Amino acid sequence: MIQQKASEDSESHWLAATAAIDWDVPPSAALGTSGRWFEGAALNTCHNAVDRHVLDGRGDALALIYNSAMTSSVEQFTYRDLQQLVATTAGMIKACGVGKGDRAIIYMPMIPQAVVAMLACARIGAIHSVVFGGFAAQELAKRIDDAAPKLVLTASCGLEPGRVVAYKPLVDAALALARTPVRHVIVLQRPQLQAELQPGRDLDWAVSVANARAEPCVSVAATDPLYILYTSGTTGVPKGVVRDNGGHAVALCWTMSAIYGAAAGDIFWAASDIGWVVGHSYIVYAPLLAGCTTVLYEGKPVGTPDAGVTWRVIEQHGVNILFTAPTAIRAIRREDPLASLLAGRDIATLRALFLAGERADPETIAWASAHLNVPVIDHWWQTELGWPALATCLGLGDREARPGSAGRPVPGYRFAVLDDAGQSLEPGAVGDIAIELPLPPGCLPTLWQNESGFRESYLDRHPGYYATGDAGFIDEDGFVHVMSRVDDIINVAGHRLSTGGIEQVLATHPQIAECAVIGAADPLKGQVPVALVVPKRGIETGAEVLADELVALVRREIGPVASFKSAIVVQALPKTRSGKVLRSAMRRIADGEPCPLPPTLDDPETFERVVQALRDAGFPPPKPQSLSEQIA
Ligand code: COA
Ligand code: AMP
């Protein structure tokens, strides 16, 4: 069985998988003794994702379909079109002095040029770092300081429902905040908004690319970084997850057939954003490595214009595999509970719906299964891993799924659930979810210029294992059930946020003495951040005004993506006698879970007052109707 082969003889399993990739220097060993995958081998990821399909005679096959619900437009690019665009964009980037090993930050909306820019960096061996457009200037500045890029690629604006988001002022503000100077900013002017360019530093994309020379693919070491992707850590400092070229290409290409059952020519739609790992892996690299057509969708699942847009896009392009976050399905279901907008749509091409990014509640899976009539598969992974670690592998003939579980380990991953002392727990017992080392190819080898942070964050907690930061259990049949985080990371609409990071921002408000941020259950977004804030003594600002200021502060400092809307003003925070804030008790109250008075509680009256304040603020929110109630 392939599961066993991959775990017991991972060397031959992964060496066999290298055959799907073109190499300049083929690997002679998979992991070997070096501890790095495919050390000594050389390749180019862009060649594998683009050029080789043209060389193989598939130049006229569709590589990319851009479907924008925001501008009501569709553009299609063949592999040959993509090759030409990527080669000249690589020339434009190179002309800015960016070469092998240099970093370029891409801060762009969901437009084809963003994908092209990523591939163009890969083409010349530059390391891209894409920053999600919903992050504010301060967050962009942190990433600029860490990655020290020579170049920032951006667009004049992003398009959100009801508003045009000007990106360039955010880039300007980030560059003013950052300590690291950046030589050039290349700006794609979208018709919806013209950005002002700073002479000498800023360049117009269209002009620059028109004057650029087409660049060939350069050979890079399999162990050279392809990209850095920042993700939330437990503090406000983002962690720069490094992805190497060789392991990434091999693993991602393999997942397309093994997990998704997709082959060259299939239409693959990952409805995410290129700023997240799902976008990197399954909008850009994996579908193109496998010769599929990838769909780049600019819009939301609801409201652009309605909850039927997902079905329309599937029908319009003949999508075979859809990948989205459970939040998107919850949003569609909330707007159109009986899926009436599906009526009359021909979505017969769809073979499966994959969900990831947050816990998929069984109700959401049941609703999607009932209406789509295809396998609905929950699968689990993280930015750090780069590809799914738990899944039902359709391509390997696996069909068994279990509600409440994200699946069994994907070949190459060996899971364990450990107690605090690092002992492996029996089936059914809840503990830390860990993965036995070595991690398979494509997973992070380190954090960008922070090897000690990498060890501290992931390897030190359980020697011999990678600590996922999630808690859960493995059942008798080997299904892994992911239940919660063990740290203060929360998951908002599939976006990973640090409550500690939000607390750090709130604490900068001059009128705040203390604060605690919890992730409260939300029927749409899974979780939302809720702050309990204590004003300094003698502050006379009204609670509502203060709350509004705090909401605006988080939006300004972290960005709208934090979805921070609830700041509850209280006179004191509930604490243990040793002074620890009782965040998990507050979270249970906000979620409507039973929460007896904690035994170590310092002051029961404060506790009761905070419980009341949460209730007054509408927590817990009313439970949404179940599927059976809705149908009734
Ligand atoms: N640039 C600027 N702002 C952005 C942005 C971007 N690229 N992406 C999101 N935002 C803003 C939104 O406009 C919104 O601002 P608002 O508070 O002014 O309304 C805020 O960030 C939160 O955005 P979002 O999380 O998208 O929530 P929403 O309320 O606009 O939409 C859903 C709700 C459920 C439709 C939406 O969250 C969704 O589609 N989720 C799918 C999940 C997903 O793709 N996850 C990716 C990981 S797989
Ligand atoms: P990110 O790195 O942003 O992809 O977030 C990874 C985290 O999201 C994981 O550690 C989990 O906490 C959560 N997550 C992702 N997929 C799932 C899933 N299928 N079920 C439960 N939690 C998930």
Side-chain angles (χ1 to χ4, degrees):
M1 196 178 147
I2 190 142
Q3 259 91 346
Q4 259 164 3
K5 184 171 173 333
S7 300
E8 285 163 16
D9 187 5
S10 78
E11 188 73 11
S12 68
H13 169 77
W14 290 116
L15 260 187
T18 63
I21 296 298
D22 276 0
W23 300 88
D24 300 321
V25 180
S28 53
L31 187 62
T33 49
S34 67
R36 297 291 303 270
W37 290 95
F38 313 119
E39 185 144 56
L43 76 164
N44 182 282
T45 297
C46 176
H47 165 83
N48 276 283
V50 183
D51 298 56
R52 73 164 163 155
H53 303 303
V54 180
L55 292 171
D56 287 350
R58 298 191 62 245
D60 293 330
L62 272 188
L64 176 73
I65 299 172
Y66 165 58
N67 188 314
S68 174
M70 307 310 297
T71 59
S72 303
S73 63
V74 172
E75 279 177 57
Q76 302 195 334
F77 303 86
T78 63
Y79 273 100
R80 188 172 291 104
D81 296 335
L82 195 58
Q83 183 186 35
Q84 189 265 325
L85 281 170
V86 171
T88 47
T89 304
M92 168 180 92
I93 294 173
K94 200 167 171 201
C96 289
V98 178
K100 207 170 178 176
D102 291 333
R103 276 80 57 210
I105 286 216
I106 299 174
Y107 182 70
M108 292 184 71
M110 289 284 284
I111 53 176
Q113 289 85 348
V115 176
V116 168
M118 291 167 76
L119 292 163
C121 287
R123 193 171 188 86
I124 55 170
I127 303 167
H128 62 68
S129 186
V130 181
V131 179
F132 178 61
F135 280 120
Q138 180 68 260
E139 289 294 315
L140 180 57
K142 285 182 195 169
R143 287 151 176 83
I144 290 171
D145 277 332
D146 197 69
K150 281 189 176 164
L151 173 69
V152 174
L153 294 131
T154 190
S156 54
C157 65
L159 304 175
E160 284 293 297
R163 70 195 165 101
V164 171
V165 183
Y167 276 29
K168 182 62 180 9
L170 295 170
V171 171
D172 289 340
L175 290 174
L177 286 166
R179 295 181 306 276
T180 315
V182 170
R183 276 195 215 163
H184 289 294
V185 178
I186 304 185
V187 186
L188 184 99
Q189 300 281 15
R190 297 188 80 182
Q192 294 78 11
L193 185 77
Q194 287 291 300
E196 264 186 43
L197 303 189
Q198 183 178 306
R201 189 195 68 181
D202 300 349
L203 302 164
D204 182 281
W205 189 304
V207 174
S208 308
V209 85
N211 294 326
R213 219 182 62 174
E215 281 296 323
C217 295
V218 303
S219 192
V220 300
T223 48
D224 280 346
L226 169 69
Y227 68 75
I228 307 166
L229 178 57
Y230 289 90
T231 189
S232 297
T234 48
T235 63
V237 183
K239 300 198 269 197
V241 168
V242 173
R243 193 83 58 215
D244 63 11
N245 274 276
H248 174 257
V250 171
L252 258 61
C253 199
W254 178 80
T255 62
M256 287 300 286
S257 58
I259 299 179
Y260 301 100
D266 278 339
I267 316 282
F268 195 92
W269 179 19
S272 178
D273 188 287
I274 48 139
W276 308 119
V277 70
V278 175
H280 280 64
S281 294
Y282 293 105
I283 296 176
V284 183
Y285 287 109
L288 296 178
L289 284 165
C292 297
T293 305
T294 186
V295 177
L296 179 76
Y297 171 70
E298 186 183 33
K300 304 267 172 180
V302 293
T304 59
D306 59 29
V309 66
T310 303
W311 324 135
R312 173 179 62 72
V313 172
I314 295 173
E315 179 183 58
Q316 193 174 0
H317 305 303
V319 171
N320 302 116
I321 305 287
L322 173 63
F323 178 159
T324 191
T327 304
I329 303 294
R330 285 197 297 269
I332 295 171
R333 179 182 166 203
R334 191 169 76 166
E335 297 284 307
D336 183 20
L338 301 177
S340 53
L341 295 168
L342 190 51
R345 290 276 174 216
D346 178 1
I347 61 159
T349 53
L350 190 69
R351 299 201 296 263
L353 165 64
F354 282 84
L355 300 173
E358 54 173 326
R359 206 182 104 76
D361 49 293
E363 277 281 325
T364 298
I365 294 184
W367 185 88
S369 306
H371 291 292
L372 300 179
N373 220 6
V374 293
V376 177
I377 295 171
D378 180 16
H379 62 334
W380 174 98
W381 49 302
Q382 311 179 299
T383 305
E384 289 84 346
L385 303 177
W387 54 281
L390 296 172
T392 301
C393 294
L394 277 195
L396 300 180
D398 195 3
R399 292 289 178 276
E400 210 185 335
R402 184 157 297 180
S405 161
R408 290 192 176 107
V410 172
Y413 288 99
R414 293 174 305 274
F415 274 71
V417 169
L418 306 175
D419 66 13
D420 282 346
Q423 295 301 312
S424 201
L425 291 169
E426 291 298 305
V430 175
D432 290 354
I433 298 177
I435 304 172
E436 221 177 283
L437 295 174
L439 292 171
C443 299
L444 80 170
T446 189
L447 291 176
W448 179 249
Q449 296 191 329
N450 187 8
E451 175 66 18
S452 62
F454 168 63
R455 301 196 154 272
E456 202 180 301
S457 300
Y458 306 106
L459 306 185
D460 290 352
R461 184 166 165 85
H462 295 298
Y465 292 89
Y466 162 87
T468 65
D470 282 4
F473 66 93
I474 303 178
D475 69 20
E476 296 282 351
D477 301 314
F479 286 90
V480 182
H481 298 248
V482 179
M483 300 175 69
S484 59
R485 291 287 302 187
V486 294
D487 50 23
D488 65 357
I489 298 284
I490 59 170
N491 201 310
V492 180
H495 311 320
R496 181 165 147 182
L497 295 168
S498 154
T499 53
I502 300 174
E503 284 178 9
Q504 278 173 15
V505 169
L506 293 174
T508 62
H509 191 286
Q511 297 181 1
I512 294 302
E514 250 191 317
C515 65
V517 175
I518 56 172
D522 180 80
L524 176 64
K525 297 196 174 189
Q527 283 184 305
V528 285
V530 174
L532 295 159
V533 295
V534 181
K536 286 182 180 157
R537 269 177 208 279
I539 293 296
E540 292 189 353
T541 312
E544 257 178 52
V545 173
L546 188 53
D548 287 350
E549 283 179 16
L550 293 170
V551 167
L553 178 67
V554 172
R555 196 177 170 92
R556 197 166 61 240
E557 295 291 310
I558 296 181
V561 66
S563 289
F564 179 72
K565 308 260 154 98
S566 303
I568 304 171
V569 178
V570 292
Q571 290 317 306
L573 295 176
K575 292 184 182 169
T576 61
R577 283 188 283 278
S578 61
K580 209 165 169 279
V581 178
L582 287 161
R583 288 183 180 78
S584 64
M586 293 301 98
R587 204 263 311 141
R588 279 199 294 279
I589 309 275
D591 292 356
E593 292 173 14
C595 182
L597 279 189
T600 53
L601 184 64
D602 180 32
D603 173 15
E605 257 180 51
T606 300
F607 185 81
E608 289 304 338
R609 272 201 290 267
V610 172
V611 169
Q612 192 53 49
L614 278 164
R615 293 216 174 102
D616 294 346
F619 293 98
K623 287 230 171 336
Q625 277 191 317
S626 70
L627 192 58
S628 46
E629 282 167 339
Q630 258 177 20
I631 289 165

